[in-house]
Amino acid sequence: MAFTDKPHLILLFMMSSTLILFVSVLDLSNASAETPSSGADGFLPLAEKHVVIRNKVRNKQILNVHCKSKSDDFGMIHIPWNGTWGFRFHVNLWKTTKYHCHFTWYKGGSHYFYIFKASRDDKEFGDPPVCKECIWDVGRSVENPVCRVPRDPKDDPYCFKWEDGP
Ligand SMILES: *[C@@H]1O[C@H](CO)[C@@H](O)[C@H](O)[C@H]1NC(C)=O
């Protein structure tokens, strides 16, 4: 059995790597063709994203942020008031990338929010629209604690409530 299984595995491996290679080549050709029309906010798979968190808590305290995904964990970060912190990553091929964050600040309680969710932030014709540079204001108000800053400052921010914990 063991001898007959091995060629199967090798074949399977070759087939799947060929498929992945093929898909990547397709992505690359799409990317170069689409860049002019889709501008900076490409929604293509594997697009690079930059998430930025701005500390806007009303009592001007330090904002403690702990963000992680299935594969990344940025540890506890302390953002001074009116300061920013961010990270870069690529959306995965299946567009299931998500970064969940825990926010705390003195007298501000403990809250959770998906600071990036491909299903919300990388969805064509979505509301909010696709972002490449995804800037979030945190803590500005109790009713609208997390707001994505629009590209055009004349537009209204896209605000959300806190979400559930892990
Ligand atoms: C907050 O930061 C922004 C951008 O760095 C700056 O323009 C603004 O003056 C700051 N506000 C206060 C009140 O410090």
Side-chain angles (χ1 to χ4, degrees):
M1 254 335 246
F3 290 105
T4 51
D5 272 357
K6 219 172 176 186
H8 280 106
L9 280 178
I10 292 170
L11 190 66
L12 197 68
F13 174 75
M14 282 171 63
M15 279 163 59
S16 48
S17 19
T18 310
L19 188 69
I20 288 167
L21 204 69
F22 181 65
V23 172
S24 325
V25 167
L26 271 183
D27 277 330
L28 287 179
S29 54
N30 266 345
S32 43
E34 293 241 10
T35 304
S37 56
S38 66
D41 291 349
F43 54 87
L44 296 162
L46 309 173
E48 196 196 9
K49 303 291 175 182
H50 184 199
V51 164
V52 176
I53 297 169
R54 305 206 295 210
N55 176 0
K56 295 288 178 183
V57 300
R58 289 189 307 166
N59 62 0
K60 304 198 174 177
Q61 294 296 310
I62 291 168
L63 178 65
N64 308 301
V65 183
H66 189 175
C67 297
K68 50 187 167 181
S69 70
K70 271 192 183 149
S71 49
D72 285 324
D73 186 336
F74 299 112
M76 178 77 90
I77 306 289
H78 307 284
I79 310 175
W81 184 76
N82 200 35
T84 63
W85 171 76
F87 56 93
R88 290 171 195 276
F89 59 96
H90 286 269
V91 173
N92 68 20
L93 198 54
W94 302 272
K95 301 245 254 180
T96 55
T97 306
K98 282 191 258 193
Y99 283 86
H100 200 223
C101 301
H102 183 206
F103 297 90
T104 59
W105 66 98
Y106 181 65
K107 295 197 168 162
S110 163
H111 310 279
Y112 291 89
F113 187 72
Y114 278 103
I115 207 70
F116 186 88
K117 224 170 15 176
S119 60
R120 180 195 62 210
D121 301 304
D122 202 33
K123 195 170 150 219
E124 196 182 359
F125 312 121
D127 186 29
V130 170
C131 56
K132 179 174 166 60
E133 178 123 86
C134 311
I135 302 167
W136 293 89
D137 281 351
V138 172
R140 222 189 254 283
S141 80
V142 175
E143 313 77 56
N144 293 309
V146 264
C147 298
R148 214 173 84 192
V149 179
R151 263 164 71 105
D152 186 341
K154 278 176 288 180
D155 293 339
D156 289 334
Y158 303 92
C159 292
F160 298 85
K161 308 286 178 203
W162 297 118
E163 294 168 342
D164 295 336

